[in-house]
Amino acid sequence: MVGVSVLGISGSVGSSTVKVLRQFRDQFSLRSFSVHSNWEVAKILISEFSPEVVCVTDPKLVGKFGDKFGSTNILYGDHALIDLVKLPSVDVVVTAVVGARGVLPTIAAIEAGKKIAIANKETLVTFGPLINRLVAKHKTLMVPVDSEHNALFQLIERETRSNIRAITLTASGGSFRTLPIEELEHVSVKQALNHPTWSMGPKITVDSAGLINKGLEVIEAHFLFGFSYDEIEVVIHPQSLTHGIIETRDGACLQYTSHPDMVYPIAHSLFYPNPTPQMLIERKPSTWKTLEFFPPDTNRYPGLTLAYQAGKAGGVAPCIFNAANEEAVALFLEEKISFTTIPRLIESALNQVKNEFPETLEGYLEKDKETRNLIQSEFLKGGVTT
Ligand code: NDP
Ligand code: MG
């Protein structure tokens, strides 16, 4: 039995992980998990899986559900995520919380020698150099859950590295791929959350609508696979069937294609390095009538250009990009700023917060905080927010 911990089990990736755990009950045992506030989901999963420990992270709920539910211990607060991942019975940690707050439990899991199935891309984007140093030091097995990166991981390991010329991430184009650009200024939150092909949490769905999710993923791919930014390409692929492509020096393009369902990459990351057994959902290439690919329109998606700029600048620039985006998307979801203000705020932060190359976690956390404060004060001033 492989012991599993899921951080953020009540979210979109968390729910897909539960589907996989249900299908392979004889091979995986859910030992711990967290929710932020969704106690209803927590109760159902505690009754079903009897984990050792569950954590509720929302500070407003501390102590509310007691310290035991059946035989399961209930812990509270962000810090308890570290206790969840360090349990001796846990072998693999699925990081499915949203935002850069995933960093401390991820570091704890690496230091405790666990395998990491990483969905929480903001952690890798923000703290990439630091996480990579720790992964190398502890010889951590880190498998990407993000569908494009999981696809690329599988393709890259089948090819001789020196024969790979470039890697390509596909993007659906998000909710506004065909909307006239001048209308983007006035789109509603409801429209932004209406993703054409994937069902995901609200933050990543808004990120996808402006291709900022793809920008984060370009940086994520750089840190995961070590390709330079000039070797990482993005194509719009509205069908979301092909997730990653590698281009070899001999001129071939090898692509990974599957139904857009997170159960595939999650199952792969849980079973790896063993092969995934037969899944519930069948792959039927005969139903995939069209596979279209075209380059992204940089006027429609300025956030993607900013992500490349931040990635190439290095240092804390990706951290600034991510923190500004997290704050801006939260403001958009609260209907306080327009959709097109999101990239404007990111650009403003990249221009104003000084880039540095810190050695420590604290150095990154300071820049993360400085950026978030800047976005809040820009918003209050109303400068770039209209
Ligand atoms: P969701 O918003 O659906 O879920 C987020 C999870 O994190 C929930 O369990 C939520 O708990 C918890 N959470 C929310 N706020 C906090 C907080 N302040 N502290 C701790 N936990 C918190 O997100 P997704 O599942 O869509 O995304 C999770 C991560 O995976 C993101 O980094 C995303 O970029 C990445 N990802 C997602 C994909 C997808 O298909 N959804 C695909 C690839 C990557 P509660 O429910 O109680 O609020
Ligand atoms: Mg993705």
Side-chain angles (χ1 to χ4, degrees):
M1 274 292 203
V2 175
V4 181
S5 177
V6 183
L7 307 180
I9 206 160
S10 47
S12 166
V13 171
S15 311
S16 297
T17 307
V18 170
K19 276 191 207 162
V20 176
L21 297 179
R22 283 191 178 126
Q23 192 177 349
F24 298 107
R25 274 181 205 281
D26 52 336
Q27 302 190 53
F28 297 106
S29 165
L30 181 62
R31 303 316 308 145
S32 64
F33 68 76
S34 80
V35 296
H36 192 55
S37 57
N38 199 333
W39 180 246
E40 287 311 304
V41 164
K43 270 197 308 194
I44 292 167
L45 295 176
I46 293 173
S47 303
E48 182 176 351
F49 291 97
S50 305
E52 287 170 51
V53 189
V54 161
C55 172
V56 179
T57 45
D58 188 340
K60 294 195 289 297
L61 298 177
V62 174
K64 179 137 189 233
F65 312 109
D67 57 4
K68 276 261 188 210
F69 190 89
S71 60
T72 300
N73 292 315
I74 312 298
L75 304 178
Y76 296 91
D78 278 350
H79 197 73
L81 294 178
I82 292 172
D83 299 321
L84 295 194
V85 303
K86 280 169 48 180
L87 283 180
S89 59
V90 166
D91 302 296
V92 52
V93 177
V94 182
T95 67
V97 289
V98 60
R101 64 179 67 87
V103 67
L104 292 179
T106 304
I107 290 177
I110 293 171
E111 288 177 339
K114 311 297 184 186
K115 179 175 121 181
I116 316 282
I118 187 159
N120 177 227
K121 68 190 79 176
E122 295 92 343
T123 285
L124 207 51
V125 169
T126 303
F127 307 98
L130 196 75
I131 298 284
N132 273 350
R133 275 205 297 279
L134 287 169
V135 163
K137 180 174 166 197
H138 295 277
K139 301 189 171 52
T140 309
L141 179 53
M142 177 134 90
V143 187
V145 167
D146 211 343
S147 55
E148 299 79 359
H149 306 72
N150 184 271
L152 289 165
F153 181 94
Q154 296 194 48
L155 290 167
I156 290 167
E157 82 168 345
R158 287 170 164 89
E159 184 56 62
T160 308
R161 175 62 192 258
S162 57
N163 193 34
I164 303 176
R165 198 201 67 77
I167 61 174
T168 297
L169 305 162
T170 62
S172 69
S175 316
F176 306 127
R177 183 174 63 82
T178 55
L179 194 78
I181 292 184
E182 58 280 8
E183 289 180 30
L184 286 175
E185 185 76 43
H186 306 292
V187 295
S188 67
V189 170
K190 195 169 166 220
Q191 285 173 292
L193 292 180
N194 186 22
H195 195 281
T197 47
W198 290 97
S199 165
M200 309 182 287
K203 191 254 175 188
I204 183 175
T205 307
V206 174
D207 286 347
S208 297
L211 244 60
I212 284 176
N213 179 52
K214 212 49 53 182
L216 293 168
E217 291 187 355
V218 166
I219 301 172
E220 182 186 10
H222 169 77
F223 287 126
L224 279 170
F225 306 124
F227 287 93
S228 75
Y229 287 96
D230 291 332
E231 295 167 321
I232 305 174
E233 291 166 21
V234 170
V235 288
I236 303 284
H237 167 54
Q239 293 77 23
S240 296
L241 289 166
T242 293
H243 308 295
I245 304 169
I246 60 172
E247 189 182 332
T248 57
R249 294 201 187 275
D250 55 15
C253 285
L254 311 179
Q255 65 183 59
Y256 175 102
T257 306
S258 72
H259 284 291
D261 191 320
M262 288 302 292
V263 297
Y264 291 120
I266 291 167
H268 170 267
S269 68
L270 288 175
F271 278 101
Y272 188 84
N274 299 314
T276 309
Q278 174 83 31
M279 296 288 293
L280 270 180
I281 304 165
E282 287 177 31
R283 302 166 197 226
K284 287 205 177 106
S286 58
T287 64
W288 303 337
K289 299 212 166 47
T290 315
L291 295 178
E292 294 170 290
F293 302 97
F294 40 88
D297 173 353
T298 48
N299 292 324
R300 179 178 295 280
Y301 302 115
L304 180 63
T305 309
L306 292 170
Y308 270 100
Q309 279 168 14
K312 285 180 181 176
V316 289
C319 165
I320 297 166
F321 178 91
N322 178 71
N325 179 56
E326 282 191 28
E327 292 300 308
V329 171
L331 288 168
F332 173 71
L333 286 169
E334 290 164 22
E335 300 183 330
K336 290 179 174 161
I337 62 171
S338 71
F339 180 71
T340 45
T341 302
I342 298 171
R344 275 187 244 147
L345 283 171
I346 297 174
E347 186 170 21
S348 172
L350 286 168
N351 288 336
Q352 291 185 66
V353 181
K354 188 166 175 281
N355 194 11
E356 283 167 14
F357 291 75
E359 289 289 317
T360 61
L361 176 66
E362 288 66 34
Y364 285 89
L365 290 173
E366 270 170 33
K367 286 290 173 178
D368 178 270
K369 194 167 171 204
E370 183 184 341
T371 306
R372 289 173 196 272
N373 289 341
L374 176 87
I375 298 296
Q376 291 303 329
S377 68
E378 295 265 305
F379 164 65
L380 290 173
K381 273 194 309 196
V384 284
T385 59
T386 49

